[in-house]
Amino acid sequence: MNANPANMANPANPANPPDTPDTADTPNTPNTATAGEGVSGRTAGATAAEPSGTSGTPAATDRGGPAAGPGQRLGSLLGSVGGQNLSLIGALVLVLALFGWLNPAYLTWANIKVIGDAVTISGLLALVQTVVIICGALDISVGSQVGVASVVSAMVFTSTGGNALFGIAAALAAGLLAGLLNGAVIVFGRVNPVIATLATLAAYKGIAQLLSKGAAQGYVSNDDVFVFLANGAIAGIPVLLWVLAVVTLAIHLLLKSTDIGRNIYAIGGNDTAARLAGIDINKYLIAVYGLAGVVAAVAGVLLTARTGFGHPVSGSEGLELKAITAAALGGCLLAGGKGGVGGTLLAITLLGALDNGLTVQGVNPFWQNVAQGALLVVAVVIQKRRAGERAVGLPT
């Protein structure tokens, strides 16, 4: 079958329409009915190709009935937001109210900007981790890729006599190369994504330490471009948040408004059906990991701008856990095929608000790691319960 993902309007339903008459005038086509049947292995039918987060509630006026009342309109609005997102919004409001009551300085504009700056880097990684998870994979190496990009940006900046654009371009190229290497190992080496990226997590961390000799490199805080990225503002909003907003919008449009996005959902929902539909899964996996590398490099450049130096480990260690936790809390099904940037953005904001609140209250920062691990376990348990999976070793 000729693989042309760009022309696939609905990749998870490759079969001919069921009502098409079987006549002698109909050209012979391959029988791909098994593709539609195979979708039920992980998601049902067209659901594999439909971006999650959309509301399936029919309009009340479609059948000529009475116009929807305020209660019905409110229910429809809440349904479009989604129960998962409503839970995150409720939890975020609770966290803000609690820490604001404990310390009035917590809800000041200055502290809110601190929270926003803090979640930018982890938010970028969580957003691209969402794409990887939707595709049915996982990237544990994003934190180490941030370290490599940070070191490269600072070292190239210094070696070119203070050219920030060269430093940023080199960091993006390094991130793309690291991401493509991840994808190639998974596709051509036939290595499980978790194992492959766990290996490159250590490898990229070692590369960053070798390049930098284990120490911070360069000094960029006297450069206008890096200073603008770290401390600049547009319309009163920090540039860091603008970068996060632009990446959020771009990924949202990619997933929800393009055939590429629909194919990514289809691959994660049921790779067998997607393959029978003619989608080149290998190319998509390599491209998704390449995208992850580029976004991780953007995060690395922002880390360099914020700290003034290229750091091989400091500032990037542990970001992969936070990214995966945010994606899972935001509603991404770790098996693939379901998720969206809205829930992930809410989840990373919740984690940032919680971390900042604990810091303001003087709580030992090591408890933040405990909280992240606990939230990840809770998110996965909730997913399993909703899926109706029985406990391992226990009767149904």
Side-chain angles (χ1 to χ4, degrees), residues 153-305:
S153 65
M155 293 182 69
V156 172
F157 169 81
T158 302
S159 64
T160 56
N163 192 313
L165 296 181
F166 281 173
I168 294 172
L172 295 177
L176 176 61
L177 180 62
L180 293 177
L181 180 60
N182 278 344
V185 169
I186 292 168
V187 169
F188 300 112
R190 299 183 180 181
V191 181
N192 181 279
V194 174
I195 302 300
T197 56
L198 183 62
T200 54
L201 166 71
Y204 295 153
K205 180 179 179 180
I207 290 173
Q209 291 172 324
L210 287 171
L211 289 174
S212 63
K213 297 180 175 58
Q217 293 292 314
Y219 181 73
V220 302
S221 292
N222 57 356
D223 180 79
D224 292 339
V225 175
F226 281 106
V227 170
F228 177 70
L229 289 175
N231 302 316
I234 300 175
I237 300 175
V239 172
L240 291 172
L241 291 181
W242 279 111
V243 174
L244 180 62
V246 169
V247 174
T248 300
L249 179 61
I251 292 180
H252 175 76
L253 293 177
L254 172 71
L255 291 175
K256 303 294 185 179
S257 303
T258 67
D259 288 337
I260 294 175
R262 284 184 281 271
N263 289 344
I264 290 174
Y265 277 101
I267 293 170
N270 189 291
D271 55 354
T272 301
R275 185 178 293 107
L276 291 174
I279 300 174
D280 193 330
I281 296 176
N282 291 343
K283 287 183 179 178
Y284 269 80
L285 279 174
I286 293 175
V288 164
Y289 276 100
L291 174 64
V294 171
V295 176
V298 173
V301 170
L302 296 182
L303 176 63
T304 301

